[in-house]
Structure formats: C-alpha cells, structure tokens
Amino acid sequence: MTDYAALLPVFNALPGANLLLTPQLLIEAASNDYLAATLTQREQLVGFSIFEAFPDHPASYQALSAVQELQASLQQVLATGQPHTMLPQRYDVPNPHAPSLSVERYWQPRNLPIPDEQGQIRHILHTVTDVTEQVQERGNFYQIFEHTPAAICIQRGPEHRYEYVNCAYEAFFPGRQLLGRTVAEALPETVEAGIVALLDRVYQTGETYFGHELPLMVAQPDGHPPRQMYFTFTYQTYRENGAIVGISTFAYDVAEQVLLRQSAEQERATALAAVRRQAEEREMFYQVFEQTPALVQLLRQPGHRIAYVNPAYQALFPGHQLVGRDLAEALPELATQGFVTLLNNVYQTGETYVGAEVPLTLAATATYPAGTHYFNFTYQAYREHGQIAGVSVFAYNVTEQVLARRQREAERLRLHKVFAQAPVAICVFEGPDYVLDVVNQPMSQMLGRPLPQLLGQPFFEAMPELADQGLRLLLDEVRRTGVPFVAREQEIRLARHQPHEAGLFDFVYQPLRDEYNKVSAVICVATEVTTQAAARRVVEQREESFRLMADNAPAMLWVTDADGYCTYLNQPWYAFTGQTEAEALGMGWVSAVHPEDAPAAGRAFMEANAHRIPFHCLYRLRRHDGQYRWAIDSGQPRFTQDGEFAGIVGTVIDVHEQKLAELALQRLTLKLRSSRDQAQALNTELQATNGQLMRTNVDLDNFIYTASHDLKAPITNIEGLLYMLRDELPLGGQATEAAHLMGMMQDSVERFKRTIEHLTDVSRLQQEHDQPVTEVVLREVIEDVQLDLTPLRQQVGGQVELDIESCSTIIFSPKNLRSVVYNLLSNAFKYHHPDRAPQVRISCRTEGSYQILEVQDNGLGIEPGREDQLFAMFQRLHTHVEGSGIGLYMVKRMVENVGGKITVQSQPGEGSVFAVYFKR
C-alpha cells in the first residue's frame, strides 16, 4: 500500500489547522484542528479542489480578492518551490447555532511546498491561523487612524507588504495600488531614495527610525509632472509572540515647511509655523494614543514624573492618581517589582529596553483579575534640545499568549506520558544529534536496550550498530524537508540479532514543528513485522500454488461466499465459456447457462446456499463458440475453523457426450418396445421369445434409470442381452428391421463402452503416480506401434522417418511409453492433409535433464491460441475424424506424473511438432 493511508491518522492529529493539497490543488487530507476551526466535515473537503470546497463567499466583501490571492499564492509556490505567507484574509464560516447565518473570520494562510526525492513538488501544506481577534482589534485601531490627518500604514513581513494604509497615506500616492503589494512594487521610486533600505534595517535590528524632512520625488498619474515631497516620519517595528512581524509608519508631508524654510524672506515665519505644527502633531499623537488599545505612558525627569497615560494604561490602575506624580510614589508595586530600576538605566544611558513576557503582579480590578499578568513593553528615551527629557512607555498585555503557550507545553508533556504508556514502540529524536527525548518501554524492548541507556543519549551513540544502516540519512532528510518518511518491512540489524540475521520493521519518521513552523523534533512509531511478513509470504506462496493448481485442473472449479456470490472461477471456466472475470463473478455465471435451464439452476444453487447443503444440477452451458453443452455442476458447503459458513466450492464437468448417449439409448429403447409389440402381433408362436423380450425391456428400463450412476455394469448387461436377442430373433422381413435396430444399439453400446473405458483409463491414470519405470528400447516400441498401425498407414499412404540414435533407450513405464508413441503416431496419420500423403519424422535428443522425443508431421496443423485446448479432456479440434478427445490428455498426464512435459508447435495447413520431455 502507498502507505499513505497509514499516515492519515498522524496528519489528522497534527496540531494546527492544516490541509494537504496535491499539485493540482485537490485536498488530500484535513487535520482535526482545521475541521474544528472552519466548522466543516472531512467528507466535504477531501477529494475536492480547494476552490470548490471554499468558493467565493457572498457574505464576504473580500471573498473574490481572497480567492484570487490564494490562487496566486499557490501558483507562486508551485512555480518557485518556496513557501509563501499571505496577508490575513477574510472568509466567513457557517454559524453552528444558526446555519443560515455566517460567522466573520479572518485567517493567516501559509503555503509550504513538500518535494519528493527528485525535488518535484508532491504536496502543498496549506496552514491557516485564526487571526480574527487580532484583525478585529487592528480594525478598531485602524478606524481611529482613518480620522487622523497623519499618514499611517502597516507593512508586514521582511518584504514590507502593505497590510493597511489610511486615507491620508493613500493621498500621498494617488492612482497607486498599495494593499497587498510590497513597497518596492507599489512605490519603485522609494528604492532609489533609500527608503526600502531603511525599512530593511529597522526590520532586521528592531530599532525605531525617525526620519526628518526626507525628500522624495513622487510620480503623478495621468501624465502630470512628478511632485517633490518632504516627509517627517517614524518607522517602528511591531511584534507578535515576541517576534518582529512588521513595521508601522507615522508620516507627515512637510514639503510646505521645507519650502518655506528654504525661502530666505520667510525664514522666521517658517520657524514659527514649524513650532506650531510640531505642537499640533504632538496633540494629534496624543489623540491617537488616547484611542489605541496599547498601554502608553510618558515619563519626565530623573524621578520619572508621569506626564501622560492613555486610557488603556489608566485602566490598568483604576482609582490611582497618576499624572503629575513620580512613578514610585504613584505605583509603588512597580518599584518593588524592579521596573523603576529598568527606567533609571534607560534614562541614564539612553539605551532602549525591550521587555518580553515580563510578569507583573496586580490586584483585582474591573478590567483585570488579580494575579500575575505578562507584558511586552518598550522603554525608550526621548530628547528635547538634544538632551534626554524622559522615557516613553509602550506596552501590550500578552497574558493570554503566555498562558496559551504554557498550556501547549503542558499538553506536550501529557503527550509524552501518552507515548510512554502506548502499546506500540515510540520515541522522539531532538536536535541534529537525535537525542532520545522520549522512549517508551515497547521501543526499549524492540531496540534491546534498557531505558537508562537510551533516554537523553544521542541515538546513534546509544545504538552504534545502526549508524551505517542509512537511518541517519533518512532522519536528516526528514529534518531538512519536513516531509514524513514511511518504511514498510525495512530490514534492520540490531545487536540482539544473530550474525547474518536481521529483522523487518514498519516505521514512520514524522517531523514535529514548533510554533514557528520549524522542524524541532522527529517522532518515530515502529512495529516489528518479521513474523507477520514470513507468515504472509507463506500464505502468498500457498495461494499462488492453489491458484496454479486450480487453473491447471482438468475441470472447471468455482468458489462462492456466504451470500452466494461467486468469488473465484478457475481458468478452464473462462476458456470454456469465453466469459471475462467481470462478466462471470458474482451471479454473472448464470448468464452462461441456457435460458431454459438458468432459472432452475439459479434457484437450486440459492436454495443449497441458504440451507448450507450440497448442490447438484444438470444444465446446458454455453461454450465460447456459442454451442450449448450438457454439464454437471456439483458443490459442497465449506466452513471456517470456527464453524462459520463460508460459502460453497464446486466443479463443473462437461458430460455432453454422455448425455447425448443417454438420450440415444432412450430413443433406441422406444424403438425396441415398438418392435416388440409388432413381433407379438405378427407371430403368436414367439410367446416365449416375447416374454424374454419383455424381461429384457424391464432390464433396459432399469438400465436407463441407473445409467447416469453406474455406467459400466448396465452396459455390460445390455451387451449380453443384445447377444441373446440376436440369437432368438427369427429370420425374415419382420426381423430385418429388428436386426437393423440391434445393430444401432450395438454401435451405441460400443461407443458407451469406449467412453467408459476412456473414463476408466483416466481414473486409473490419475491413480498411477508411482508406476515403475525402467530403461525401454525406443526403437522396439516404435516398430511395435508401426506394426499395429500398418492398416491405417497403408490406407493413408504414410511414411515414417526415424532419427533416434542419440537416445536409444528412455527411462519410462514400457506400457505408458507405448501409449505415448501410439497416440502421437496414429494422430499424425489420422489428421493428415487431404492434398498430400503424411510424412512423419520421429527423432530423439538429450537436452539438460531431459530426453526429448519429437514427432513431426505435415498434416492439418492447429489454429494459433488453441494449443492448450489440445491437451484438455474430451477436447477435439478436428471433428471429421472419429475420436474421443482423451488420447492427448492421457499422454500429457502420463508424462507429467513422472516430472516430464509435452509441448506442441504448429502452423495451420503445414503441420505440427509434438515434443515429449522425459526426465533422465
């Protein structure tokens, strides 16, 4: 199996909302977290295109754009082979409490290519993160920005892709498409002006950049000349989970001030205007701070007197008088927890301090419960006239994120406990040295090492015998690509194995990812399948042997299940009926039965199946050439070792000739009865003879009844009665017709006797597997057979050429060797070409472990594709010559019973070559 199905449970249980896509963008798998996040079912997704499963959503104003952007992102991943993270996208999901309504959701999609061993993309891992709360929070924040005259934008990612711009910012660049594009794509003039390089530096270092009156020549739409602009701005990074994810820009167009200052006659007015504008800008910033959910505080002087706090900061300490008081006086709990010391260092050195997930113990308020809370914050000195005037504080409450991460860690520890108690062998490799972080008891037993020798140890140091078996390369590849590796019946040698011995193992190397989607560890789930593999191979060999034996059996074999549906038919059935497997299995075999016999045959079989009793039915079966032939279908019920009924197994045997002979006997019997009545009417003197005839007729009636059960004894009795009748019949005209009928009966009896003899020979032959063999002089056997066939040879004018010096004797049963030569030579004479006398060449040679006897003729030949039928019982390819269809079947069985074989090569109209292989 692609063993892909065995990985689905692992994929489904992966943390995070994940889809596994094919390069044709069909959904192969969906994780449990994804189904829970999107309120969907797995059957609604798997097997469908991602755009069929998630079409344009009519309730989402951004649906068309979101679908187009997703398609563009996936195509980019397919074209470049590189992962791509998209901007947050809106896609609503059904409301579980009101199916006719939708719930607004925002998602952060990421598309990761998964290549195969040749580097071709085999899958795409599509991961989405629910960022609805962040987007809605930012949306509230953005609504504030829309009303500020300052130009504000948010650029996300190292390529600085526009995520948000307010109206004032868009007004700077009329006619430009900004959202979703990088700064370099949307504003190519910023590359030459060095602005993109500034953004790169801020993103890489995390240091805030203040730009003052930066000149920029901005191209204008509709053929208007470029506009010279000057900007005063701030580039400041923003973080998520402590990592830099983007840059926020606050900018003002100061071209007017610059131009005024450049004008000598208005220098003083320009300076005053600049001071006034700075005051306005400061007031505007205060207005922005008033509405932001972040905690903002301005401190002045060495004592950190609180000059300003925004409402969010004040809500952290309700009822406290903050503004105008020193921090240590107003909030002594901050001093006792070390925050004033940090502020002192920033004020004295001017170095910015960034705190990540710093704990702060708070008393209960209307906004925050009592206990420890966690904050990300920045202490940054600000200057006036070149001197440090105070410290600005920007802080975010990240308590939920910290607690969520700790919960994930607790879940990880619980998962380790589950691994330790799991009934299958599990271990976890950490780091590039594959240190065994988790090893459960089944894995310890499988590796043949106690747990203390494994836990905390590099895997290939603890198990040095595995170092040169290629496992490190497999683990390296899983760590490098993030693609799981699945092994089936992998041969591995452990120290516990005997020399030159190895075990077979099924195992999976599954990468584990951290919160940044990087492979942090590899989990191994393993099972030893040495015993199961050996048992399976034995079963497969037995099944193949049974199938080979069944397909070469001289009868048609069949097997049904407990419901009566045919599950197997051997090759002779298909060769006889011409049906295909698809046509015959199930109840299709009934279509090959004569329409008049099919209903009764079907009912008889279903009744036997229902009552679990033997099945027996005589019906006409359609041969591949369209001819219907009588056949006996017999079956026996079969049961499992537990006694459960498993179906019926049976055989179908062609008895067409026997059935025709039985019908002929019935017709002959009717004629004999008519002759008997006529003889009684004509000659009353033959009363005694007529009485004998009546007794004979009774015997014949009994024969008809018992003919199909015991052929040989009744035929012998009939033959004796015929001889008695012939002696008793009178001479004359009335007896002439009776004598003619007697002759016809004698012919029928002879044919029956030959048929019985042939069947007896076949039965005897099937039992004679251990016939004694000896060295037989081949020439003597051939000459003896030629002597018997002299009348036939003279009749057809045949000639025989011998070339048997290479093997003058053959090790075989003398009687059987004579039968082989007789059948092949007589067939060469009987089936000669009507336009030429038969020329037969008999040769013998030694080849390997065989002595090969070849009989070559120039007769009628055999049509291509019918060679196998030639050796089947009661099969005749030429019907213009009298025969039984049993000779070559017997030759084949006699030769194969002692390890030999027989083959034929033939050309229609040119002749045939029969080769008999005798074991030396």
Side-chain angles (χ1 to χ4, degrees), residues 812-828:
F812 202 60
S813 164
K815 181 184 72 172
N816 289 349
L817 180 60
R818 187 184 190 286
S819 179
V820 169
V821 175
Y822 185 91
N823 274 282
L824 295 179
L825 188 56
S826 63
N827 284 350

Side-chain angles (χ1 to χ4, degrees), residues 150-433:
I152 302 174
C153 72
I154 303 294
Q155 296 142 346
R156 191 176 185 90
E159 70 273 28
H160 317 306
R161 191 175 300 276
Y162 282 107
E163 186 176 89
Y164 169 79
V165 294
N166 70 348
C167 296
Y169 191 98
E170 286 186 311
F172 288 162
F173 309 101
R176 305 288 185 98
Q177 173 62 39
L178 301 179
L179 289 178
R181 304 182 69 188
T182 66
V183 173
E185 293 171 348
L187 305 174
E189 53 265 61
T190 60
V191 178
E192 184 176 354
I195 294 176
V196 173
L198 289 176
L199 290 167
D200 290 340
R201 188 175 72 187
V202 172
Y203 191 93
Q204 294 165 5
T205 65
E207 296 178 356
T208 301
Y209 180 85
F210 296 91
H212 182 65
E213 297 180 357
L214 180 71
L216 179 64
M217 187 68 71
V218 180
Q220 300 298 305
D222 303 327
H224 294 290
R227 178 186 174 189
Q228 178 67 57
M229 303 183 71
Y230 294 85
F231 294 97
T232 293
F233 60 93
T234 301
Y235 287 158
Q236 186 172 11
T237 60
Y238 70 97
R239 290 172 165 80
E240 292 178 358
N241 299 322
I244 295 174
V245 296
I247 297 174
S248 62
T249 302
F250 291 79
Y252 299 91
D253 179 10
V254 294
E256 183 178 353
Q257 297 92 315
V258 172
L259 294 176
L260 288 174
R261 191 177 61 252
Q262 291 174 349
S263 175
E265 61 273 20
Q266 296 181 2
E267 182 175 348
R268 186 169 179 274
T270 302
L272 293 174
V275 172
R276 187 166 53 252
R277 182 168 292 278
Q278 289 176 358
E280 293 173 355
E281 291 173 355
R282 180 172 300 171
E283 177 63 25
M284 183 177 59
F285 274 117
Y286 280 139
Q287 293 299 323
V288 173
F289 292 158
E290 286 289 302
Q291 302 178 58
T292 179
L295 283 64
V296 180
Q297 182 186 52
L298 295 180
L299 306 173
R300 296 185 66 84
Q301 302 173 352
H304 312 304
R305 184 171 297 275
I306 302 173
Y308 169 80
V309 294
N310 72 342
Y313 195 100
Q314 182 67 61
L316 191 62
F317 304 99
H320 289 67
Q321 176 60 43
L322 301 180
V323 176
R325 304 176 68 189
D326 288 349
L327 183 67
E329 176 190 354
L331 299 171
E333 58 265 51
L334 296 186
T336 59
Q337 296 183 49
F339 291 94
V340 173
T341 302
L342 296 175
L343 288 166
N344 291 338
N345 185 63
V346 173
Y347 187 86
Q348 295 166 5
T349 65
E351 296 179 354
T352 300
Y353 179 82
V354 178
E357 299 180 359
V358 178
L360 172 61
T361 302
L362 296 173
T365 69
T367 307
Y368 295 94
T372 301
H373 298 259
Y374 299 87
F375 294 87
N376 290 342
F377 61 87
T378 301
Y379 288 166
Q380 188 171 16
Y382 64 91
R383 290 169 169 80
E384 293 179 354
H385 310 294
Q387 299 296 321
I388 294 177
V391 179
S392 63
V393 179
F394 293 87
Y396 292 92
N397 189 338
V398 293
T399 304
E400 290 185 1
Q401 295 92 313
V402 172
L403 296 179
R405 189 182 67 251
R406 291 182 177 178
Q407 183 179 2
R408 290 195 298 270
E409 182 62 24
E411 290 175 352
R412 178 177 177 273
L413 293 176
R414 285 197 297 272
L415 185 61
H416 281 199
K417 292 181 180 179
V418 171
F419 286 169
Q421 300 173 15
V424 297
I426 299 176
C427 66
V428 176
F429 306 108
E430 291 280 356
D433 292 331

Side-chain angles (χ1 to χ4, degrees), residues 420-655:
Q421 300 173 15
V424 297
I426 299 176
C427 66
V428 176
F429 306 108
E430 291 280 356
D433 292 331
Y434 305 112
V435 175
L436 290 163
D437 181 50
V438 176
V439 182
N440 68 353
Q441 190 62 37
M443 178 62 78
S444 171
Q445 294 173 353
M446 180 181 292
L447 296 177
R449 297 283 200 284
L451 283 175
Q453 295 182 16
L454 297 173
L455 282 172
Q457 299 297 315
F459 181 58
F460 294 103
E461 293 181 11
M463 303 292 297
E465 67 268 26
L466 301 180
D468 60 349
Q469 297 189 44
L471 298 182
R472 179 182 287 275
L473 295 177
L474 297 177
L475 286 166
D476 289 344
E477 186 68 11
V478 172
R479 277 181 53 84
R480 183 183 68 82
T481 64
V483 178
F485 175 80
V486 180
R488 294 297 182 193
E489 297 185 5
Q490 178 85 21
E491 184 176 285
I492 295 178
R493 297 179 302 280
L494 296 171
R496 62 181 173 84
H497 289 130
Q498 297 297 323
H500 309 295
E501 182 187 74
L504 297 178
F505 298 85
D506 289 350
F507 61 89
V508 177
Y509 287 157
Q510 177 70 39
L512 298 179
R513 299 181 182 273
D514 56 21
E515 61 269 24
Y516 305 109
N517 203 33
K518 293 183 179 179
V519 176
S520 60
V522 177
I523 180 174
C524 174
V525 181
T527 305
E528 183 168 4
V529 294
T530 306
T531 303
Q532 298 91 314
R536 192 194 67 250
R537 290 170 184 169
V538 170
V539 172
E540 290 173 350
Q541 292 172 356
R542 289 177 178 174
E543 289 179 351
E544 180 60 26
S545 298
F546 169 76
R547 186 173 295 274
L548 184 63
M549 178 180 66
D551 285 341
N552 288 277
M556 293 173 272
L557 306 180
W558 52 267
V559 179
T560 66
D561 61 17
D563 295 325
Y565 291 99
C566 184
T567 59
Y568 172 76
L569 287 159
N570 69 344
Q571 192 58 38
W573 171 276
Y574 297 117
F576 184 89
T577 64
Q579 284 188 313
T580 65
E581 191 173 273
E583 294 171 340
L585 294 182
M587 294 299 294
W589 62 272
V590 180
S591 64
V593 179
H594 195 283
E596 296 177 0
D597 303 336
R603 285 193 302 271
F605 172 76
M606 295 309 296
E607 181 178 353
N609 189 78
H611 292 87
R612 303 176 183 179
I613 59 176
F615 165 70
H616 184 82
C617 187
L618 176 68
Y619 55 72
R620 286 164 289 179
L621 184 64
R622 186 183 65 245
R623 200 166 60 182
H624 58 83
D625 58 2
Q627 179 185 356
Y628 284 95
R629 296 179 61 82
W630 287 100
I632 291 179
D633 195 346
S634 301
Q636 290 289 331
R638 58 191 181 96
F639 299 88
T640 65
Q641 293 181 350
D642 299 330
E644 293 291 331
F645 177 63
I648 298 179
V649 59
T651 61
V652 178
I653 299 176
D654 184 346
V655 294

Side-chain angles (χ1 to χ4, degrees), residues 653-671:
I653 299 176
D654 184 346
V655 294
H656 190 68
E657 281 74 17
Q658 295 93 316
K659 182 62 177 178
L660 293 182
E662 180 182 344
L663 295 175
L665 282 175
Q666 291 175 355
R667 291 192 296 270
L668 286 174
T669 301
L670 292 176
K671 291 182 179 180

Side-chain angles (χ1 to χ4, degrees), residues 4 8 11-14 16-20 27-35 38 40-43 45-46 54:
Y4 165 79
L8 282 179
F11 180 90
N12 293 342
L14 287 177
N18 302 301
L19 288 180
L20 190 64
I27 299 174
E28 291 184 294
S31 70
N32 297 333
D33 286 355
Y34 188 96
L35 300 177
T38 59
T40 54
Q41 301 295 324
R42 186 167 281 111
E43 56 269 24
L45 305 180
V46 175
F54 297 101

